[in-house]
Amino acid sequence: MKYRSSALLGAVLLSAGLVACSSPDEGSGKTADGKTVLDVWLMRDSVSAAFQKEFEAGFEAAHPGIDVKIQVQEWNGITEKVTAALAGNDAPDVIEVGNTQVAQYAQSGGLTDFSGKVGELGGASWLKGLAEPGAYDGKQYGIPYYAANRVVIYRTDLFEKAGVDPKQIKTRDQWIAATQKLNTGGTQGIYLPGQNWYALSGFIWDEGGDLAVKDGERWKGALDTPEAQRAMAFYQRLQALGKGPKDSDEAQPPQAEVMAKGQVAQIIAVPGGANVVAQSNPALKGKLAFFPIPGKTADAPGAVFTGGSDLVVPAVAKHQDEAFTFLKELTGDAWQKKLATAMSYVPNRTTLAGAVSSDPGAAAMAVGAANGHATPNTPQWAAVEGKNPIKDYMTAVLTGRDPKAEAAKASGSITATLNSGS
């Protein structure tokens, strides 16, 4: 699933004019001097103009027979555009897609299967939240590109005033106790809107549950399981320690703007949210820091939803070998380290987490990313999000309705939607 924040990425927008200098011979797939033209679609804000320029120069120096032509695509309308490209005969050679979109495209048979190349691509240490949704029906189609996830953004001055040491918050119970201590003197211990279903998903995964599970050939909503019920009960406890609305999500109103008003000690957000807070209230610049969402126990950080992208190659792409070379380079150690540093991303595998150690926000993300997850791996999940009964369920519980009855209703809705295409 795409997971974008302009504040997180801080990217200089790409220009479609930043392409290699050689003019292609239209229709031949070759430049005038005989190089193979490799057509690549990357998404808006995926990389900065500076990184793109550096990568193109480095890649073409290492592979002089390939001329990379990167075209920047917009997220709005991209699903229809990619679907049409996969069904046609003039598809690009490499496409960046949201990690949870891979199943939707793979279902049609339009993607190249890289199952036999996983080892060569360093798949043993790929982030689960990128690798698992990149697979469909037992085959690996999506190659992990980069990740981002939520952390806790906190006010260092309010923590110090309350005598709370963030380094001592390793478990959810410790987090509750610290937030209760912060929730005094007009300060909200945490601002948590009632419909932050991404945060709830992490708590469900911590409990050993999921949003939906596969039962034979059918899917079944799982919000009514004991694991999910425990997670919702924890969410309810945490949400009650602030004044977040029970009937809206983190975008309504924008939670960074709420924090900028000066009375909120913590929010759950991507690290770039801190930039938004400081821009809205310059007095808070230098007073914001990060820690990973705490886990149920101190043994592991809290589970998080992994947003980010995978790279795929259309089955009809004309330059399969060159496309694989591109994948291997951009998702390999050297360029992943450069990308993570340049863009404050989490690299695509756990062994590279140290690349962002000097970036406090990205470093906190990387800790959480090691326990990252994705939404249920089915092409129909997008339809669930379109209706999003999870949000309605959360509001119902937070406003006093029966948790079990509401969970059963939401699970039934998820079940019906996921099996509607069966």
Side-chain angles (χ1 to χ4, degrees), residues 207-294:
E207 294 288 349
D210 210 333
L211 301 172
V213 294
K214 195 86 176 283
D215 184 11
E217 294 301 313
R218 292 176 59 81
W219 284 88
K220 185 177 186 299
L223 294 179
D224 53 348
T225 62
E227 294 84 1
Q229 290 285 281
R230 290 196 298 268
M232 186 62 218
F234 174 78
Y235 190 100
Q236 190 169 17
R237 289 177 62 200
L238 186 64
Q239 202 271 340
L241 296 177
K243 299 177 182 177
K246 294 177 171 59
D247 59 352
S248 63
D249 61 21
E250 60 269 40
Q252 299 175 357
Q255 62 178 355
E257 294 181 9
V258 176
M259 191 177 198
K261 294 178 181 178
Q263 303 302 315
V264 173
Q266 306 172 85
I267 59 173
I268 300 172
V270 293
N275 296 332
V276 178
V277 174
Q279 288 167 8
S280 298
N281 184 353
L284 296 182
K285 187 175 182 180
K287 297 180 180 179
L288 300 166
F290 318 90
F291 60 84
I293 294 174

Side-chain angles (χ1 to χ4, degrees), residues 136 210-222 375-381 411 414-419 422:
Y136 180 71
D210 210 333
L211 301 172
V213 294
K214 195 86 176 283
D215 184 11
E217 294 301 313
R218 292 176 59 81
W219 284 88
K220 185 177 186 299
T375 50
N377 194 11
T378 164
Q380 280 73 44
W381 185 258
S411 291
I414 292 172
T415 299
T417 301
L418 291 183
N419 296 298
S422 300

